[in-house]
Amino acid sequence: MIYLLGNPKANNNKGEQDARNWAQTQNIEYEFVSVLGLDVKRFFDSLKPEDEVVLTGGDGTLNHFANDIYGYELKNPVYYVKCGSGNDFYRDNKQYEENGKINLVPFLKNLPLITVNGMKRRFLNGIGYGIDGETCRVGEEIRKSDSNKPINYTKIAIGLLLGKYKLKKATVVVDGVESSFKNTILLFKLSRRVSFISSLYSFNGTDGKPAPVPTSMSDEFSGISTYFANNM
């Protein structure tokens, strides 16, 4: 059996229909299962060895799933199909698409961990904290007030950078070495997936002090994640 594991609220509440539309183009028999309120690990425990799972949704659905399933040993194939209003993960990795879907299993291992106000979350291709999260929040407010108005996330982020966003302190641990930075702005650039922090600079005048770079990384996976801290 092929299970479409999807988020009905994705893509402005069109997530389930988008998933079903994709399945129709593939001419497959399937069962749709909503991720909302689902105990994901229990769901996978109930599967038969021959079952296949296709996760459908956007970046938010992906990151929730990555956290819900983290540490669980997947025994079934798990694929991803874009059905969201934001599909950055797909755009970054569409070269790995085969038969209309991306093999998701390799992306779910060794994910970075971020802690904010005591909340720990793994992240796959976006964190949803700090200025990234605030940009998404402002965008959602615009969407709710005027669904026909185009949302320019770049413009929102620049506006926040220029003074509307209160900078935070960040503590970064790379290869067991801890570094702290004041008034931090988080920026990240993705290739196949983010699996490490590559550099972090604290600018004092014109001098930059890089944080430790990981001693090892996979040849198959690569990512660049850069933090800039301006000690004001």
Side-chain angles (χ1 to χ4, degrees), residues 23-216:
Q24 187 174 9
T25 66
Q26 302 296 306
N27 193 28
I28 57 174
E29 294 185 6
Y30 67 93
E31 179 178 330
F32 181 86
V33 178
S34 171
V35 297
L36 301 180
L38 180 70
D39 185 326
V40 177
K41 293 180 179 179
R42 181 174 293 180
F43 166 76
F44 275 92
D45 283 340
S46 70
L47 297 181
K48 298 177 181 178
E50 64 271 19
D51 291 336
E52 178 180 308
V53 175
V54 179
L55 182 69
T56 66
D59 295 312
T61 304
L62 265 172
N63 279 284
H64 277 290
F65 178 78
N67 279 272
D68 290 342
I69 205 66
Y70 194 79
Y72 182 91
E73 185 180 352
L74 290 165
K75 298 180 177 64
N76 299 83
V78 181
Y79 300 96
Y80 171 70
V81 171
K82 64 178 180 70
C83 291
S85 54
N87 297 296
D88 292 334
F89 175 85
Y90 172 79
R91 281 190 288 270
D92 289 330
N93 300 287
K94 60 184 177 181
Q95 66 268 34
Y96 304 107
E97 182 182 55
E98 294 183 8
N99 300 319
K101 55 192 179 184
I102 295 174
N103 180 12
L104 193 57
V105 175
F107 294 92
L108 300 174
K109 301 175 181 178
N110 302 319
L111 295 177
L113 176 69
I114 188 166
T115 304
V116 175
N117 296 331
M119 178 186 293
K120 297 180 183 293
R121 297 285 287 177
R122 301 280 172 178
F123 65 95
L124 185 62
N125 74 316
I127 301 170
Y129 289 128
I131 198 167
D132 175 40
E134 182 65 6
T135 299
C136 293
R137 187 195 67 79
V138 173
E140 285 301 308
E141 291 297 320
I142 295 173
R143 192 193 311 277
K144 290 176 182 177
S145 63
D146 185 355
S147 60
N148 294 319
K149 183 177 180 179
I151 300 173
N152 188 325
Y153 288 101
T154 302
K155 182 178 179 181
I156 295 171
I158 291 174
L160 292 170
L161 275 171
L162 293 177
K164 295 181 181 180
Y165 179 74
K166 185 178 180 181
L167 302 182
K168 309 295 183 181
K169 177 182 177 181
T171 300
V172 181
V173 180
V174 180
D175 288 340
V177 180
E178 181 176 302
S179 302
S180 295
F181 301 85
K182 297 185 296 183
N183 299 322
T184 304
I185 297 171
L186 164 63
L187 303 171
F188 57 89
K189 182 178 184 298
L190 308 171
S191 53
R192 181 165 181 184
R193 73 168 180 154
V194 173
S195 57
F196 62 90
I197 295 170
S198 64
S199 60
L200 185 138
Y201 292 90
S202 176
F203 288 102
N204 298 302
T206 58
D207 296 328
K209 298 168 64 177
V213 175
T215 55
S216 63

